[in-house]
């Protein structure tokens, strides 16, 4: 594993996965996501593990999908790359997953945190779906999960302006479980994971499945719809302009084409 660190038994029955591309603010490239999928599959099959924590570092949980990897892609490249089958497998992990978030959780980073079952945040955490600023839109569940978590008006504002939400606001809006001082966020995640790990793994599995079921019957359809629109963004000049501008460190000029 090059971009993640896995400690299968960081504490009793609790495994820790740390995203580990710190220089790139843990930007989620295809390799990292593949490694994450494989690690989760292994931990799901490991009978000693009863709860999983995914974390980044103090500065960033993850600043989104890797823009540099996507910048030159066409809609059909994106379709053929089929990165969302990886996300689908992560979503199907049977054991409870807690995201321990500090710093940036943006774009795919925010979507990854929302794909987890619970979120513990440090007071420095910032949540956002800033894809609109680079000429695209959320593609890994953002429009669906954020809306379900915080409601239409707030989600719409975040998705259409790209503005970030502080950890305090995210707690108020019900996006996350709680906020703690930065030196305690991982500890707090371990505390929660430890509590869950003392419960029946069978009941925990079935309970997780059932809570998710409350909205997932409609989620498949929503994700399918979102995905088509995400791919379609890659047919626009604005996507090329937005992503190139990011890579070249300049302001984008969007033309609506
Ligand atoms: C690739 C990224 C990146 C990203 C940061 N970096 N985010 N590289 N993809 N998403 C890189 C920068 O290029 C830079 O590398 C290094 O990480 C540090 O970032 P800086 O910008 O210098 O840091 P700072 O000024 O502190 O700004 C932090 C930031 C900013 C506000 C988080 O980096 C930012 O706006 N990042 C992009 C956020 C975003 O748009 N995310 C959504 C992506 S699309 P170099 O080598 O240049 O110094 C997406 C779609 C998901 O997620 C759906 C499909 C899965």
């Amino acid at each position: 594993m090059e971009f993640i660190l896995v400690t299968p038994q960081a504490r009793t029955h609790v495994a820790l996965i740390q995203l580990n591309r710190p220089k790139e603010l843990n930007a989620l490239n295809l390799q990292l996501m593949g490694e994450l999928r494989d690690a989760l599959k292994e931990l799901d099959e490991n009978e000693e593990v009863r709860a999983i924590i995914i974390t980044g570092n103090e500065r960033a949980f993850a600043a989104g999908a890797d823009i540099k990897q996507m910048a030159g892609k066409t809609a059909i490249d994106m379709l053929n790359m089929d990165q969302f089958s990886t996300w689908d497998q992560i979503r199907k992990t049977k054991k409870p997953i807690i995201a321990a978030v500090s710093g940036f959780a943006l774009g795919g980073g925010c979507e990854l945190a929302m794909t987890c079952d619970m979120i513990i945040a440090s007071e420095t955490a910032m949540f956002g779906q800033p894809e609109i600023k680079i000429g695209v839109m959320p593609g890994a569940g953002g429009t669906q999960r954020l809306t379900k978590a915080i409601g239409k008006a707030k989600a719409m504002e975040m998705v259409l302006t790209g503005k970030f939400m502080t950890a305090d606001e995210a707690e108020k809006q019900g996006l996350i479980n709680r906020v703690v001082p930065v030196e305690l966020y991982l500890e707090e995640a371990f505390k929660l994971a430890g509590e869950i790990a003392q419960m029946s793994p069978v009941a925990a599995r079935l309970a997780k499945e059932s809570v998710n079921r409350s909205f997932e019957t409609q989620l498949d359809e929503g994700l399918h719809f979102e995905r088509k629109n995400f791919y379609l963004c890659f047919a626009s000049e604005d996507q090329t302009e937005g992503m190139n501008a990011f890579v070249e460190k300049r302001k984008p000029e969007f033309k609506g084409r």
Side-chain angles (χ1 to χ4, degrees):
M1 302 275 187
E2 189 183 349
F3 295 131
I4 63 171
L5 302 170
V6 185
T7 317
Q9 282 253 43
R11 304 262 176 97
T12 317
H13 299 304
V14 177
L16 179 69
I17 298 178
Q18 183 177 17
L19 310 180
N20 191 32
R21 283 187 86 199
K23 275 207 338 248
E24 293 82 7
L25 306 184
N26 290 333
L28 305 169
N29 64 11
L30 294 181
Q31 187 183 330
L32 187 156
M33 290 307 294
E35 289 177 7
L36 182 59
R37 173 203 54 211
D38 294 345
L40 285 169
K41 186 166 184 295
E42 256 186 68
L43 295 175
D44 226 11
E45 287 164 3
N46 179 344
E47 282 184 13
E48 291 303 312
V49 172
R50 295 185 180 179
I52 300 163
I53 298 172
I54 299 179
T55 195
N57 54 54
E58 243 179 73
R59 189 171 173 215
F61 177 72
D66 190 324
I67 302 171
K68 290 166 191 167
Q69 197 169 53
M70 290 186 295
K73 300 278 189 273
T74 66
I76 303 306
D77 291 337
M78 294 298 285
L79 183 74
N80 287 339
M81 222 155 68
D82 190 26
Q83 63 179 315
F84 296 119
S85 61
T86 303
W87 286 78
D88 286 339
Q89 280 169 276
I90 290 173
R91 175 164 74 98
K92 288 180 179 147
T93 305
K94 296 178 190 79
K95 290 177 184 162
I97 309 177
I98 298 168
V101 176
S102 179
F104 299 112
L106 305 177
C110 187
E111 291 170 309
L112 177 60
M114 291 190 293
T115 303
C116 296
D117 303 307
M118 289 153 283
I119 304 175
I120 300 291
S122 96
E123 58 207 351
T124 62
M126 300 291 276
F127 297 87
Q129 298 291 161
E131 290 92 339
I132 192 92
K133 291 186 176 168
I134 52 168
V136 294
M137 57 173 279
T143 63
Q144 305 302 298
R145 291 197 180 91
L146 190 64
T147 307
K148 286 188 162 75
I150 67 173
K152 176 181 162 183
K154 296 274 183 196
M156 197 67 95
E157 186 174 344
M158 281 180 76
V159 168
L160 294 185
T161 67
K163 269 191 285 194
F164 300 165
M165 184 181 261
T166 63
D168 278 339
E169 182 68 11
E171 185 183 27
K172 235 185 276 164
Q173 297 301 329
L175 179 64
I176 65 176
N177 293 68
R178 53 193 157 275
V179 189
V180 294
V182 64
E183 60 279 10
L184 291 180
Y185 75 97
L186 198 52
E187 195 54 42
E188 185 68 19
F190 270 114
K191 232 163 82 186
L192 178 57
E195 247 180 79
I196 294 166
Q198 288 174 37
M199 308 299 164
S200 151
V202 176
R205 173 183 168 171
L206 296 176
K208 168 173 169 164
E209 209 175 278
S210 304
V211 172
N212 281 337
R213 192 63 187 223
S214 73
F215 61 89
E216 280 196 349
T217 38
Q218 291 164 17
L219 187 64
D220 266 349
E221 199 186 314
L223 289 175
H224 185 69
F225 191 79
E226 177 189 78
R227 222 161 270 184
K228 295 275 184 225
N229 287 348
F230 178 71
Y231 291 142
L232 197 57
C233 290
F234 283 77
S236 76
E237 290 174 23
D238 283 352
Q239 170 268 329
T240 311
E241 168 62 9
M243 292 195 173
N244 285 344
F246 176 85
V247 174
E248 291 157 16
K249 299 184 187 293
R250 61 177 174 79
K251 209 167 172 293
E253 276 187 43
F254 295 125
K255 300 214 167 81
R257 284 202 292 272

